[in-house]
Amino acid sequence: ILISPFFKLAIYGRYYTRPDDILPASTQSGMSMKHIEHEFGKGRIWPYYLHIRAMPEALPQGTIFNPDFFQEAQKVLLQLINSVPNTPRTNITGAVFANGKPVPYELLQMALDEAHPLYDTATGEHLRNLASIFLSSSKDATF
């Protein structure tokens, strides 16, 4: 079965950077994935993950959770979408960009504020989940 090696990822919850770590090239699944990768490109089969950690001296506010960082990160992701072939906007997901659209810093800030009406909505819950997954607890890095 072609997807059986991905079961390892689901069980252990780890991401690998090298395809051979989960699909040895000598297996039928590995050879099939190499063929698909060759035909459609690496990003289609082995998605790119970006981990951005700010240098302490680059964080005058002590965190990447600020409007300036969000705006700059969104610019970088838009450049990535425009310059990397076969990269639909909807494939970019993270704290600053989701479902093909930039996530406004102010909206995420409102979703995290228990006193704000957005907090008790489905959108607020979704945004908090997004932040908990893609922002480090110290808010000095994003994935």
Side-chain angles (χ1 to χ4, degrees):
I1 276 185
L2 187 60
I3 62 171
S4 63
F6 295 102
F7 186 68
K8 182 177 174 183
L9 282 176
I11 290 176
Y12 297 107
R14 293 182 60 197
Y15 292 97
Y16 294 88
T17 57
R18 293 183 23 221
D20 291 340
D21 284 344
I22 56 173
L23 290 177
S26 60
T27 65
Q28 186 65 38
S29 295
M31 288 184 279
S32 296
M33 292 302 275
K34 287 287 184 192
H35 176 74
I36 293 170
E37 178 184 294
H38 176 72
E39 294 295 318
F40 296 99
K42 291 183 185 238
R44 288 290 219 201
I45 303 304
W46 308 111
Y48 301 102
Y49 296 96
L50 301 176
H51 178 254
I52 303 166
R53 179 174 297 277
M55 301 297 290
E57 61 273 12
L59 291 175
Q61 297 162 321
T63 175
I64 62 170
F65 192 65
N66 65 68
D68 294 333
F69 174 82
F70 268 59
Q71 189 173 33
E72 286 302 312
Q74 290 163 355
K75 285 181 192 176
V76 169
L77 291 172
L78 286 170
Q79 288 174 350
L80 178 73
I81 291 166
N82 293 327
S83 61
V84 177
N86 299 317
T87 308
R89 289 175 72 111
T90 54
N91 285 4
I92 307 294
T93 298
V96 300
F97 213 91
N99 298 326
K101 297 180 177 154
V103 175
Y105 166 78
E106 295 78 12
L107 186 63
L108 190 53
Q109 191 176 33
M110 288 186 281
L112 294 169
D113 179 1
E114 292 182 35
H116 196 279
L118 183 66
Y119 186 88
D120 289 323
T121 67
T123 300
E125 182 180 1
H126 175 73
L127 289 166
R128 285 191 304 282
N129 286 334
L130 192 72
S132 71
I133 293 168
F134 293 108
L135 288 173
S136 66
S137 58
S138 59
K139 293 189 176 57
D140 67 342
T142 184
F143 171 67

